[in-house]
């Protein structure tokens, strides 16, 4: 198994960091890695906002659900879907692009582009011995995040990423069995075999949560997933994405 | 620069492959790598459908815009946003999750999860000396793709990925300047500096396209982006995502 695959398979989210900023060289390599990712139609429809201002970091940490590692880390960046610079490009060529940008297809393009870039950044950081954690909690209140970061129309912060020198080490969280996630030629809709796979996986996860060294708890994967999704949250995003120039829902 | 970052920075899309299937070990490593990615609230909201059936591959190749490398490669997989198994999990615990699944937030979670997994797969493949290309052309006709792959409700194919032993080598496509994509603390809205950056980048891209060894052409980045986005395409996706149980747009 090569070094790259070892890095990828060794991933675990890190939520406690040494109080030490990344070097300029480290952040440069992380951003270059992000930019090297594939991008739909070469649009590069994302931006990365590094947040170094202490009070901004603290405010976002609070918004994201009092996650103090959002404030205390070596580097914190916000990844945004971004069609703003394409508006400038379009204006240089007298083109009207609002219909494409506001469509579901446009939203998919920008969200996928942003996520591919972010995952490259994550792997690059981990390859340097740094730890990372995605911060979806940013979406608790994108209105305030957008105003703090002064993002214009056609820019939508999607998630943050904290990076730093790990001050904790813990076990890896087992993933769903490969047969649950991977299908061949047709989607396997056999609900009995799915239930069996989930039952075994529930035991694996119950054991993992019970025996892990920190924040141990007693819950299965299916009950956790069902409970997480039974509380629909961030419903304001349906209107907010529209307000920011995405997903107008018109055909 | 370590091996991982070298792999990431060495990326270029490959569209011509040797006629040689990946080994089981190779596809296993690629899928394991995909599953190791971060996932929002541990939901793992995606599925991967490997397509090995020759006639299915040919049909998808045609749908994706007559891209013959979709039919001829070492491995072809379709990456899908997937909340189907969460419905099963919810039914095991008598929970109703439709509101979360159909919300904009739910869509973001599933699309981001899927893209993070895919990018891990891409990097893993490239680390083994394989070439990859994302296939967004799948979205030309998701109705037919869904029916070919028999994907149920709450599963939405987002893109494909071809993998194989490269039968071509070419130059790397220069990305936007770092200062265009990377911001610090606040989004840089200085349109004059953006126009200057884009002007320089246009020259870089014009030179790249003119002088590259295959499919050379004469176009700048801003004109290409403006032209791509002036033709709004795949507008059926606004209704289709809804039909598949995503993005109902209700608050």
């Amino acid at each position: 198994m090569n070094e790259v695959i070892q890095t990828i398979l060794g991933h675990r989210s890190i939520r406690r960091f040494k109080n030490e900023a990344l070097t300029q060289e480290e952040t440069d390599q992380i951003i270059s890695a992000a930019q090297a990712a594939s991008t739909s139609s070469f649009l590069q429809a994302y931006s990365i906002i590094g947040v170094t201002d202490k009070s901004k970091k603290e405010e976002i940490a609070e918004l994201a659900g009092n996650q103090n590692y959002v404030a205390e880390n070596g580097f914190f960046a916000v990844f945004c879907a971004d069609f703003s610079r394409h508006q400038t490009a379009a204006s240089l060529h007298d083109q009207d692009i609002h219909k494409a940008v506001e469509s579901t297809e446009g939203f998919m393009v920008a969200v996928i582009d942003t996520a591919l870039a972010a995952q490259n950044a994550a792997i690059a950081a981990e390859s340097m011995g740094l730890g990372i954690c995605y911060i979806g909690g940013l979406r608790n209140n994108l209105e305030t995040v957008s105003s703090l970061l002064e993002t214009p129309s056609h820019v939508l912060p999607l998630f943050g990423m904290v990076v730093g020198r790990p001050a904790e080490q813990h076990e890896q969280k087992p993933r769903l069995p490969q047969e649950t996630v991977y299908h061949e030629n047709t989607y396997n809709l056999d609900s009995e075999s799915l239930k069996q796979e989930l039952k075994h996986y529930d035991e694996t996860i119950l054991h993992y949560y019970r025996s892990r060294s920190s924040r141990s708890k007693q819950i299965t994967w299916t009950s956790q997933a069902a409970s997480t999704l039974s509380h629909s949250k961030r419903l304001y995003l349906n209107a907010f994405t529209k307000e920011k120039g995405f997903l107008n829902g018109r055909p």
Side-chain angles (χ1 to χ4, degrees), chain A:
Chain A
M1 196 183 295
N2 69 47
E3 198 190 306
V4 180
I5 294 180
Q6 277 176 46
T7 299
I8 290 174
L9 298 184
H11 165 73
R12 54 211 78 193
S13 294
I14 298 295
R15 293 183 177 83
R16 205 152 61 80
F17 302 99
K18 293 178 185 156
N19 183 16
E20 200 183 320
L22 264 58
T23 65
Q24 185 69 46
E25 196 193 338
E26 286 169 328
T27 55
D28 275 351
Q29 285 205 342
I30 289 170
I31 297 158
S32 300
Q35 290 197 255
S38 294
T39 159
S40 185
S41 301
F42 200 38
L43 289 171
Q44 308 174 73
Y46 63 89
S47 275
I48 304 169
I49 307 178
V51 187
T52 54
D53 181 274
K54 207 169 149 35
S55 69
K56 272 189 213 262
K57 282 174 86 163
E58 281 166 0
E59 201 161 342
I60 296 176
E62 203 183 314
L63 288 173
N66 274 316
Q67 302 184 327
N68 72 320
Y69 47 95
V70 176
E72 288 159 27
N73 48 58
F75 179 61
F76 173 57
V78 174
F79 288 77
C80 310
D82 188 344
F83 277 124
S84 171
R85 73 180 72 95
H86 306 80
Q87 307 285 348
T88 304
S91 73
L92 293 172
H93 299 278
D94 287 323
Q95 299 277 10
D96 177 5
I97 64 172
H98 83 277
K99 209 168 169 182
V101 162
E102 294 170 8
S103 68
T104 301
E105 163 71 9
F107 189 67
M108 285 181 179
V109 162
V111 174
I112 294 167
D113 266 20
T114 309
L116 301 186
Q119 188 55 14
N120 263 11
I123 298 297
E126 291 180 329
S127 79
M128 297 187 245
L130 302 167
I132 69 108
C133 188
Y134 280 88
I135 310 295
L138 212 70
R139 296 195 300 275
N140 287 342
N141 191 336
L142 279 193
E143 187 136 22
T144 307
V145 170
S146 298
S147 119
L148 273 171
L149 304 178
E150 300 175 25
T151 53
S153 185
H154 302 108
V155 175
L156 186 71
L158 294 178
F159 49 80
M161 187 186 293
V162 292
V163 187
R165 294 180 223 292
E168 64 175 12
Q169 275 305 338
H170 46 74
E171 299 84 357
Q172 254 190 314
K173 220 165 174 177
R175 293 328 202 218
L176 280 163
Q178 192 185 100
E179 59 268 34
T180 308
V181 168
Y182 182 72
H183 307 252
E184 207 164 289
N185 289 314
T186 51
Y187 192 97
N188 179 10
L189 252 178
D190 178 346
S191 62
E192 277 319 305
S193 69
L194 175 61
K195 277 180 191 165
Q196 277 308 311
E197 288 159 24
L198 293 180
K199 199 178 152 192
H200 287 300
Y201 185 55
D202 270 352
E203 285 161 21
T204 306
I205 290 300
L206 187 64
H207 177 78
Y208 160 79
Y209 277 134
R210 261 188 198 150
S211 60
R212 71 179 180 182
S213 47
S214 70
R215 298 185 302 139
S216 86
K217 54 185 175 180
Q218 180 122 349
I219 194 166
T220 64
W221 185 79
T222 58
S223 63
Q224 189 180 42
S227 156
T228 299
L229 291 169
S230 68
H231 305 98
S232 50
K233 55 183 183 177
R234 303 172 185 158
L235 294 179
Y236 78 97
L237 281 173
N238 297 3
F240 187 76
T241 50
K242 234 179 247 190
E243 193 185 313
K244 283 295 180 179
F246 293 92
L247 272 185
N248 68 19
R250 283 191 292 270

